[in-house]
Amino acid sequence: MEPTALTTERLLMRPFAPEDADAAYTACQDPEIQRWTIVPSPYTRADAELFTRKLSPSGWQDDTAYNFAVLLRDGGPLVGALGINRCGLPGTYEVGFWTAKEHRGTGFTTEAVLAAARWAFTALGADRLEWRAEIGNEPSRSVALRAGFRMEGDQRSALFNKGIRRDTWTGALLPADLGLPGTHPHRPAPDVRGAL
C-alpha cells in the first residue's frame, strides 16, 4: 500500500516519518500511554526512532500495518497516533490509538478513528474493524463508543502487554454502521432470544 494521508475538518493524518521521533518520544513519556497501550515502558528515544524510522514504514510496505501521525490540520504538535493493523481473518482489521495528554477531551481521537475507519472500509476493503482495550481503559472505550463501535463483550487473557496477559473489552465497527457497503455480504444471526 502506498503511504496515504487523510484529512478531516480539524486533522491531518499522515504516515509517521523520522522527524516525528522527538514528538512521539515526548508524548509517550506520559504514564497513561505507557500503562494502557503496548508501547514499551520505559519509552526511550531509541523506541521512538525504531517506530518512526523502521516499524511504521515497513508496515506500509508489507501491507500489514498502517500507522498515522495525527496532527492538527492547520499545523501544530503531534496530537496522537492511530494504527490500522491487518488481522488473520480476511477483511478484518484492528484499530489502536493513543492521544497526547494535552489533547485529550477534544474529540480529536474520535474524529481520527472515524476517518481511519472510512478509509479502511473503502481503500482496504475491510468488512470488520475491531477495537480492543484492557478492561479499565475507560477513555479508549469512550472513543470507541463515540465512533459507533458495538461492544461485543469481554475476552479473558486476550492482550499480552509488558509480560502480562490481560483481559480486554472488545468491539467492532462494520461498513454498514457508517452507511458504507461491505466487500462481502453479511448475514446477521437471527434474534433467537425468547425462542426457547
Side-chain angles (χ1 to χ4, degrees):
M1 168 68 71
E2 274 301 309
T4 301
L6 308 174
T7 57
T8 70
E9 183 180 335
R10 302 181 294 169
L11 302 172
L12 167 66
M13 299 165 58
R14 61 160 173 74
F16 273 94
E19 59 269 18
D20 297 317
D22 286 342
Y25 168 77
T26 299
C28 289
Q29 296 312 297
D30 178 11
E32 293 298 302
I33 291 175
Q34 290 186 29
R35 163 63 182 93
W36 294 110
T37 72
I38 60 170
V39 303
S41 181
Y43 193 83
T44 67
R45 284 202 186 278
D47 294 320
E49 289 177 8
L50 176 66
F51 179 72
T52 59
R53 295 175 191 269
K54 185 174 181 192
L55 298 178
S56 288
S58 67
W60 285 92
Q61 288 170 351
D62 22 349
D63 224 11
T64 57
Y66 315 96
N67 289 304
F68 293 94
V70 180
L71 306 151
L72 294 177
R73 190 171 175 172
D74 58 359
L78 183 70
V79 168
L82 183 144
I84 301 286
N85 299 305
R86 188 180 295 274
C87 295
L89 188 63
T92 302
Y93 294 80
E94 183 176 354
V95 64
F97 47 83
W98 55 255
T99 309
K101 185 176 185 175
E102 61 274 15
H103 296 291
R104 292 182 193 141
T106 60
F108 291 146
T109 305
T110 302
E111 192 173 320
V113 168
L114 283 167
R118 285 185 186 93
W119 175 77
F121 293 142
T122 57
L124 299 177
D127 279 317
R128 177 179 168 85
L129 185 60
E130 297 179 342
W131 162 87
R132 172 174 302 138
E134 182 180 341
I135 291 176
N137 188 346
E138 292 288 349
S140 183
R141 182 181 175 102
S142 293
V143 167
L145 287 168
R146 282 193 306 272
F149 282 74
R150 179 187 283 181
M151 294 298 118
E152 296 181 333
D154 304 344
Q155 291 183 318
R156 296 183 308 149
S157 190
L159 176 69
F160 188 70
N161 188 8
K162 297 169 185 70
I164 300 170
R165 295 203 66 93
R166 301 167 191 260
D167 296 345
T168 64
W169 287 318
T170 61
L173 191 68
L174 305 180
D177 297 332
L178 299 181
L180 299 169
T183 304
H184 296 93
H186 170 223
R187 181 178 300 150
D191 186 357
V192 295
R193 293 174 284 185
L196 296 177

